Amino acid sequence: MLVSMIFPVMLIILTGSCIQSALGFGATMVTMGFLPLLMDYSKSMGLSIVMVSISTVYISVKYRDSIRWKIMLPFLIPTAVICGAVNILSAKVSSNVMYLLLGVMFVLVSVFFFLFSEKIRIRPTAASGAILGTICGVCYGLFASGGPTAALYLLPATKSKKEYLATIQAFLCVNNLLILVISLVLSRLDMADLPMVGAGICAMLAGTLLGLKLHDRIPAVIFGRVIYAFVGFGGIWIIISHLL
């Protein structure tokens, strides 16, 4: 890794981890939206998942008493199974194709949250868990980004912002650790990446602490609309840049 890359990588990770701890998800949507501009897609996914894993472990432990495991498991199990299978298979897909698909996904997520997030309420049943878990597993396996689907499932089932944050972080933590193991096995990270990982951890810790403060002070719906507008424009930019 070039020294000149460390600052922009740290800025990306800080922004992503801040959003993650403020909204409950969103870190990989930022990191995977920008890290591939600086490095290979598979390397971006590996570095991203290391950073997000540490952040989700920290928040899960901090709010462990508020985690709702009972409502999470019907959604977690299918997500983890599909996520692992898709992530392994995705290693054979072209990075350019993956990045273009990522742009399309960002636009769709942005449009969905602007138009339907306040109108659709999904009951946390075994059936809805299996359906959304499959969708989430595919998104997680391909892009390391299953947060939006997880929020759609978990938000209506939790009773407070704290309970929601704790439960979704525990859910993301399990899947992040799964992808992390796969990334190490597939050599998406190696010893040459250690300086970048160290710098990223510093940025991630700062972003996580800042995000937790924002979580307590800023209404999530307002902050979320700003973020998803940014995500949508980012997705459009990715698509246009690959079509030109």
Side-chain angles (χ1 to χ4, degrees), residues 214-239:
L214 290 174
H215 177 77
D216 295 332
R217 290 180 171 84
I218 303 177
V221 63
I222 297 175
F223 195 56
R225 286 185 177 276
V226 174
I227 296 305
Y228 282 105
F230 171 75
V231 169
F233 284 120
I236 292 172
W237 181 83
I238 289 172
I239 294 171

PDB file of all heavy atoms in Angstrom, residues 214-239:
ATOM      1  N   LEU A 214     -23.705  10.951  17.786  1.00  0.00           N
ATOM      2  CA  LEU A 214     -24.730  11.408  16.850  1.00  0.00           C
ATOM      3  C   LEU A 214     -26.018  10.604  17.000  1.00  0.00           C
ATOM      4  O   LEU A 214     -27.122  11.135  16.857  1.00  0.00           O
ATOM      5  CB  LEU A 214     -24.205  11.288  15.411  1.00  0.00           C
ATOM      6  CG  LEU A 214     -23.096  12.258  15.007  1.00  0.00           C
ATOM      7  CD1 LEU A 214     -22.587  11.922  13.614  1.00  0.00           C
ATOM      8  CD2 LEU A 214     -23.592  13.694  15.054  1.00  0.00           C
ATOM      9  N   HIS A 215     -25.869   9.318  17.280  1.00  0.00           N
ATOM     10  CA  HIS A 215     -27.035   8.448  17.449  1.00  0.00           C
ATOM     11  C   HIS A 215     -27.948   8.962  18.560  1.00  0.00           C
ATOM     12  O   HIS A 215     -29.176   8.876  18.460  1.00  0.00           O
ATOM     13  CB  HIS A 215     -26.567   7.027  17.781  1.00  0.00           C
ATOM     14  CG  HIS A 215     -27.693   6.071  18.052  1.00  0.00           C
ATOM     15  ND1 HIS A 215     -28.459   5.533  17.053  1.00  0.00           N
ATOM     16  CD2 HIS A 215     -28.184   5.578  19.222  1.00  0.00           C
ATOM     17  CE1 HIS A 215     -29.369   4.737  17.581  1.00  0.00           C
ATOM     18  NE2 HIS A 215     -29.226   4.739  18.892  1.00  0.00           N
ATOM     19  N   ASP A 216     -27.366   9.504  19.612  1.00  0.00           N
ATOM     20  CA  ASP A 216     -28.144  10.010  20.748  1.00  0.00           C
ATOM     21  C   ASP A 216     -28.720  11.396  20.500  1.00  0.00           C
ATOM     22  O   ASP A 216     -29.691  11.782  21.150  1.00  0.00           O
ATOM     23  CB  ASP A 216     -27.267  10.049  22.006  1.00  0.00           C
ATOM     24  CG  ASP A 216     -26.826   8.656  22.442  1.00  0.00           C
ATOM     25  OD1 ASP A 216     -27.557   7.692  22.165  1.00  0.00           O
ATOM     26  OD2 ASP A 216     -25.746   8.548  23.053  1.00  0.00           O
ATOM     27  N   ARG A 217     -28.154  12.135  19.563  1.00  0.00           N
ATOM     28  CA  ARG A 217     -28.531  13.551  19.410  1.00  0.00           C
ATOM     29  C   ARG A 217     -29.330  13.866  18.142  1.00  0.00           C
ATOM     30  O   ARG A 217     -30.104  14.823  18.125  1.00  0.00           O
ATOM     31  CB  ARG A 217     -27.260  14.417  19.419  1.00  0.00           C
ATOM     32  CG  ARG A 217     -26.585  14.482  20.782  1.00  0.00           C
ATOM     33  CD  ARG A 217     -25.334  15.341  20.723  1.00  0.00           C
ATOM     34  NE  ARG A 217     -24.779  15.604  22.050  1.00  0.00           N
ATOM     35  CZ  ARG A 217     -23.981  14.784  22.698  1.00  0.00           C
ATOM     36  NH1 ARG A 217     -23.626  13.645  22.133  1.00  0.00           N
ATOM     37  NH2 ARG A 217     -23.531  15.086  23.904  1.00  0.00           N
ATOM     38  N   ILE A 218     -29.129  13.095  17.072  1.00  0.00           N
ATOM     39  CA  ILE A 218     -29.766  13.418  15.797  1.00  0.00           C
ATOM     40  C   ILE A 218     -30.844  12.395  15.462  1.00  0.00           C
ATOM     41  O   ILE A 218     -30.584  11.196  15.501  1.00  0.00           O
ATOM     42  CB  ILE A 218     -28.730  13.453  14.656  1.00  0.00           C
ATOM     43  CG1 ILE A 218     -27.628  14.463  14.980  1.00  0.00           C
ATOM     44  CG2 ILE A 218     -29.385  13.769  13.318  1.00  0.00           C
ATOM     45  CD1 ILE A 218     -26.519  14.511  13.945  1.00  0.00           C
ATOM     46  N   PRO A 219     -32.066  12.856  15.119  1.00  0.00           N
ATOM     47  CA  PRO A 219     -33.126  11.920  14.711  1.00  0.00           C
ATOM     48  C   PRO A 219     -32.665  11.081  13.519  1.00  0.00           C
ATOM     49  O   PRO A 219     -32.200  11.611  12.511  1.00  0.00           O
ATOM     50  CB  PRO A 219     -34.283  12.853  14.323  1.00  0.00           C
ATOM     51  CG  PRO A 219     -34.025  14.109  15.086  1.00  0.00           C
ATOM     52  CD  PRO A 219     -32.534  14.258  15.122  1.00  0.00           C
ATOM     53  N   ALA A 220     -32.790   9.775  13.631  1.00  0.00           N
ATOM     54  CA  ALA A 220     -32.276   8.875  12.602  1.00  0.00           C
ATOM     55  C   ALA A 220     -32.926   9.114  11.235  1.00  0.00           C
ATOM     56  O   ALA A 220     -32.278   8.973  10.204  1.00  0.00           O
ATOM     57  CB  ALA A 220     -32.490   7.421  13.027  1.00  0.00           C
ATOM     58  N   VAL A 221     -34.215   9.496  11.228  1.00  0.00           N
ATOM     59  CA  VAL A 221     -34.905   9.671   9.947  1.00  0.00           C
ATOM     60  C   VAL A 221     -34.310  10.827   9.153  1.00  0.00           C
ATOM     61  O   VAL A 221     -34.182  10.757   7.932  1.00  0.00           O
ATOM     62  CB  VAL A 221     -36.427   9.875  10.167  1.00  0.00           C
ATOM     63  CG1 VAL A 221     -36.696  11.152  10.954  1.00  0.00           C
ATOM     64  CG2 VAL A 221     -37.153   9.898   8.836  1.00  0.00           C
ATOM     65  N   ILE A 222     -33.913  11.902   9.835  1.00  0.00           N
ATOM     66  CA  ILE A 222     -33.318  13.047   9.148  1.00  0.00           C
ATOM     67  C   ILE A 222     -31.915  12.705   8.662  1.00  0.00           C
ATOM     68  O   ILE A 222     -31.562  12.959   7.506  1.00  0.00           O
ATOM     69  CB  ILE A 222     -33.272  14.271  10.080  1.00  0.00           C
ATOM     70  CG1 ILE A 222     -34.694  14.697  10.472  1.00  0.00           C
ATOM     71  CG2 ILE A 222     -32.532  15.426   9.424  1.00  0.00           C
ATOM     72  CD1 ILE A 222     -34.736  15.820  11.492  1.00  0.00           C
ATOM     73  N   PHE A 223     -31.146  12.111   9.568  1.00  0.00           N
ATOM     74  CA  PHE A 223     -29.782  11.735   9.197  1.00  0.00           C
ATOM     75  C   PHE A 223     -29.801  10.701   8.082  1.00  0.00           C
ATOM     76  O   PHE A 223     -28.998  10.738   7.155  1.00  0.00           O
ATOM     77  CB  PHE A 223     -29.068  11.189  10.440  1.00  0.00           C
ATOM     78  CG  PHE A 223     -27.585  11.096  10.294  1.00  0.00           C
ATOM     79  CD1 PHE A 223     -26.843  12.211   9.963  1.00  0.00           C
ATOM     80  CD2 PHE A 223     -26.920   9.906  10.522  1.00  0.00           C
ATOM     81  CE1 PHE A 223     -25.462  12.140   9.845  1.00  0.00           C
ATOM     82  CE2 PHE A 223     -25.547   9.825  10.410  1.00  0.00           C
ATOM     83  CZ  PHE A 223     -24.812  10.939  10.073  1.00  0.00           C
ATOM     84  N   GLY A 224     -30.738   9.768   8.144  1.00  0.00           N
ATOM     85  CA  GLY A 224     -30.832   8.718   7.142  1.00  0.00           C
ATOM     86  C   GLY A 224     -31.136   9.245   5.758  1.00  0.00           C
ATOM     87  O   GLY A 224     -30.566   8.779   4.768  1.00  0.00           O
ATOM     88  N   ARG A 225     -32.015  10.233   5.657  1.00  0.00           N
ATOM     89  CA  ARG A 225     -32.359  10.773   4.338  1.00  0.00           C
ATOM     90  C   ARG A 225     -31.152  11.444   3.686  1.00  0.00           C
ATOM     91  O   ARG A 225     -30.952  11.327   2.474  1.00  0.00           O
ATOM     92  CB  ARG A 225     -33.516  11.771   4.465  1.00  0.00           C
ATOM     93  CG  ARG A 225     -34.853  11.096   4.717  1.00  0.00           C
ATOM     94  CD  ARG A 225     -36.002  12.073   4.730  1.00  0.00           C
ATOM     95  NE  ARG A 225     -37.269  11.393   4.909  1.00  0.00           N
ATOM     96  CZ  ARG A 225     -37.970  10.845   3.940  1.00  0.00           C
ATOM     97  NH1 ARG A 225     -37.521  10.899   2.687  1.00  0.00           N
ATOM     98  NH2 ARG A 225     -39.112  10.245   4.182  1.00  0.00           N
ATOM     99  N   VAL A 226     -30.358  12.134   4.482  1.00  0.00           N
ATOM    100  CA  VAL A 226     -29.150  12.764   3.942  1.00  0.00           C
ATOM    101  C   VAL A 226     -28.182  11.697   3.436  1.00  0.00           C
ATOM    102  O   VAL A 226     -27.631  11.792   2.331  1.00  0.00           O
ATOM    103  CB  VAL A 226     -28.461  13.630   5.012  1.00  0.00           C
ATOM    104  CG1 VAL A 226     -27.134  14.157   4.489  1.00  0.00           C
ATOM    105  CG2 VAL A 226     -29.368  14.777   5.423  1.00  0.00           C
ATOM    106  N   ILE A 227     -27.999  10.656   4.228  1.00  0.00           N
ATOM    107  CA  ILE A 227     -27.069   9.597   3.864  1.00  0.00           C
ATOM    108  C   ILE A 227     -27.523   8.865   2.612  1.00  0.00           C
ATOM    109  O   ILE A 227     -26.734   8.595   1.708  1.00  0.00           O
ATOM    110  CB  ILE A 227     -26.910   8.589   5.020  1.00  0.00           C
ATOM    111  CG1 ILE A 227     -26.274   9.280   6.234  1.00  0.00           C
ATOM    112  CG2 ILE A 227     -26.073   7.382   4.593  1.00  0.00           C
ATOM    113  CD1 ILE A 227     -24.947   9.954   5.922  1.00  0.00           C
ATOM    114  N   TYR A 228     -28.810   8.542   2.511  1.00  0.00           N
ATOM    115  CA  TYR A 228     -29.277   7.775   1.357  1.00  0.00           C
ATOM    116  C   TYR A 228     -29.325   8.617   0.086  1.00  0.00           C
ATOM    117  O   TYR A 228     -29.232   8.085  -1.014  1.00  0.00           O
ATOM    118  CB  TYR A 228     -30.614   7.110   1.664  1.00  0.00           C
ATOM    119  CG  TYR A 228     -30.400   5.890   2.515  1.00  0.00           C
ATOM    120  CD1 TYR A 228     -30.704   5.890   3.863  1.00  0.00           C
ATOM    121  CD2 TYR A 228     -29.809   4.754   1.969  1.00  0.00           C
ATOM    122  CE1 TYR A 228     -30.447   4.788   4.648  1.00  0.00           C
ATOM    123  CE2 TYR A 228     -29.551   3.645   2.741  1.00  0.00           C
ATOM    124  CZ  TYR A 228     -29.874   3.661   4.074  1.00  0.00           C
ATOM    125  OH  TYR A 228     -29.604   2.570   4.849  1.00  0.00           O
ATOM    126  N   ALA A 229     -29.453   9.928   0.242  1.00  0.00           N
ATOM    127  CA  ALA A 229     -29.299  10.783  -0.939  1.00  0.00           C
ATOM    128  C   ALA A 229     -27.866  10.691  -1.444  1.00  0.00           C
ATOM    129  O   ALA A 229     -27.617  10.555  -2.649  1.00  0.00           O
ATOM    130  CB  ALA A 229     -29.642  12.231  -0.573  1.00  0.00           C
ATOM    131  N   PHE A 230     -26.935  10.723  -0.518  1.00  0.00           N
ATOM    132  CA  PHE A 230     -25.519  10.595  -0.868  1.00  0.00           C
ATOM    133  C   PHE A 230     -25.238   9.236  -1.500  1.00  0.00           C
ATOM    134  O   PHE A 230     -24.536   9.127  -2.506  1.00  0.00           O
ATOM    135  CB  PHE A 230     -24.677  10.778   0.394  1.00  0.00           C
ATOM    136  CG  PHE A 230     -23.230  10.470   0.217  1.00  0.00           C
ATOM    137  CD1 PHE A 230     -22.393  11.343  -0.456  1.00  0.00           C
ATOM    138  CD2 PHE A 230     -22.697   9.299   0.725  1.00  0.00           C
ATOM    139  CE1 PHE A 230     -21.047  11.055  -0.615  1.00  0.00           C
ATOM    140  CE2 PHE A 230     -21.359   9.008   0.571  1.00  0.00           C
ATOM    141  CZ  PHE A 230     -20.531   9.882  -0.101  1.00  0.00           C
ATOM    142  N   VAL A 231     -25.805   8.182  -0.919  1.00  0.00           N
ATOM    143  CA  VAL A 231     -25.611   6.829  -1.449  1.00  0.00           C
ATOM    144  C   VAL A 231     -26.190   6.717  -2.853  1.00  0.00           C
ATOM    145  O   VAL A 231     -25.588   6.121  -3.753  1.00  0.00           O
ATOM    146  CB  VAL A 231     -26.275   5.787  -0.518  1.00  0.00           C
ATOM    147  CG1 VAL A 231     -26.313   4.405  -1.184  1.00  0.00           C
ATOM    148  CG2 VAL A 231     -25.514   5.697   0.795  1.00  0.00           C
ATOM    149  N   GLY A 232     -27.378   7.307  -3.067  1.00  0.00           N
ATOM    150  CA  GLY A 232     -27.997   7.258  -4.382  1.00  0.00           C
ATOM    151  C   GLY A 232     -27.176   7.950  -5.444  1.00  0.00           C
ATOM    152  O   GLY A 232     -26.959   7.406  -6.533  1.00  0.00           O
ATOM    153  N   PHE A 233     -26.689   9.147  -5.158  1.00  0.00           N
ATOM    154  CA  PHE A 233     -25.844   9.861  -6.115  1.00  0.00           C
ATOM    155  C   PHE A 233     -24.538   9.116  -6.351  1.00  0.00           C
ATOM    156  O   PHE A 233     -24.007   9.091  -7.471  1.00  0.00           O
ATOM    157  CB  PHE A 233     -25.557  11.286  -5.613  1.00  0.00           C
ATOM    158  CG  PHE A 233     -26.716  12.225  -5.782  1.00  0.00           C
ATOM    159  CD1 PHE A 233     -27.281  12.845  -4.680  1.00  0.00           C
ATOM    160  CD2 PHE A 233     -27.242  12.471  -7.041  1.00  0.00           C
ATOM    161  CE1 PHE A 233     -28.359  13.705  -4.826  1.00  0.00           C
ATOM    162  CE2 PHE A 233     -28.321  13.338  -7.197  1.00  0.00           C
ATOM    163  CZ  PHE A 233     -28.881  13.951  -6.091  1.00  0.00           C
ATOM    164  N   GLY A 234     -24.020   8.500  -5.291  1.00  0.00           N
ATOM    165  CA  GLY A 234     -22.804   7.704  -5.442  1.00  0.00           C
ATOM    166  C   GLY A 234     -23.025   6.527  -6.368  1.00  0.00           C
ATOM    167  O   GLY A 234     -22.176   6.209  -7.214  1.00  0.00           O
ATOM    168  N   GLY A 235     -24.180   5.869  -6.233  1.00  0.00           N
ATOM    169  CA  GLY A 235     -24.500   4.744  -7.113  1.00  0.00           C
ATOM    170  C   GLY A 235     -24.646   5.173  -8.558  1.00  0.00           C
ATOM    171  O   GLY A 235     -24.174   4.486  -9.480  1.00  0.00           O
ATOM    172  N   ILE A 236     -25.304   6.316  -8.775  1.00  0.00           N
ATOM    173  CA  ILE A 236     -25.464   6.832 -10.141  1.00  0.00           C
ATOM    174  C   ILE A 236     -24.102   7.143 -10.752  1.00  0.00           C
ATOM    175  O   ILE A 236     -23.837   6.844 -11.924  1.00  0.00           O
ATOM    176  CB  ILE A 236     -26.350   8.102 -10.131  1.00  0.00           C
ATOM    177  CG1 ILE A 236     -27.788   7.731  -9.742  1.00  0.00           C
ATOM    178  CG2 ILE A 236     -26.336   8.787 -11.494  1.00  0.00           C
ATOM    179  CD1 ILE A 236     -28.690   8.918  -9.523  1.00  0.00           C
ATOM    180  N   TRP A 237     -23.220   7.744  -9.947  1.00  0.00           N
ATOM    181  CA  TRP A 237     -21.887   8.064 -10.438  1.00  0.00           C
ATOM    182  C   TRP A 237     -21.112   6.803 -10.833  1.00  0.00           C
ATOM    183  O   TRP A 237     -20.420   6.762 -11.850  1.00  0.00           O
ATOM    184  CB  TRP A 237     -21.106   8.841  -9.372  1.00  0.00           C
ATOM    185  CG  TRP A 237     -19.739   9.234  -9.824  1.00  0.00           C
ATOM    186  CD1 TRP A 237     -19.400  10.317 -10.566  1.00  0.00           C
ATOM    187  CD2 TRP A 237     -18.520   8.535  -9.591  1.00  0.00           C
ATOM    188  NE1 TRP A 237     -18.052  10.337 -10.806  1.00  0.00           N
ATOM    189  CE2 TRP A 237     -17.487   9.252 -10.227  1.00  0.00           C
ATOM    190  CE3 TRP A 237     -18.210   7.359  -8.912  1.00  0.00           C
ATOM    191  CZ2 TRP A 237     -16.173   8.837 -10.173  1.00  0.00           C
ATOM    192  CZ3 TRP A 237     -16.881   6.940  -8.870  1.00  0.00           C
ATOM    193  CH2 TRP A 237     -15.887   7.679  -9.493  1.00  0.00           C
ATOM    194  N   ILE A 238     -21.232   5.752 -10.017  1.00  0.00           N
ATOM    195  CA  ILE A 238     -20.558   4.489 -10.316  1.00  0.00           C
ATOM    196  C   ILE A 238     -21.057   3.912 -11.632  1.00  0.00           C
ATOM    197  O   ILE A 238     -20.270   3.478 -12.487  1.00  0.00           O
ATOM    198  CB  ILE A 238     -20.787   3.464  -9.183  1.00  0.00           C
ATOM    199  CG1 ILE A 238     -20.009   3.886  -7.931  1.00  0.00           C
ATOM    200  CG2 ILE A 238     -20.343   2.071  -9.613  1.00  0.00           C
ATOM    201  CD1 ILE A 238     -20.317   3.041  -6.712  1.00  0.00           C
ATOM    202  N   ILE A 239     -22.380   3.929 -11.835  1.00  0.00           N
ATOM    203  CA  ILE A 239     -22.951   3.372 -13.058  1.00  0.00           C
ATOM    204  C   ILE A 239     -22.512   4.168 -14.286  1.00  0.00           C
ATOM    205  O   ILE A 239     -22.070   3.603 -15.302  1.00  0.00           O
ATOM    206  CB  ILE A 239     -24.496   3.378 -12.962  1.00  0.00           C
ATOM    207  CG1 ILE A 239     -24.963   2.426 -11.854  1.00  0.00           C
ATOM    208  CG2 ILE A 239     -25.117   2.965 -14.305  1.00  0.00           C
ATOM    209  CD1 ILE A 239     -26.435   2.524 -11.542  1.00  0.00           C
TER     210      ILE A 239
END
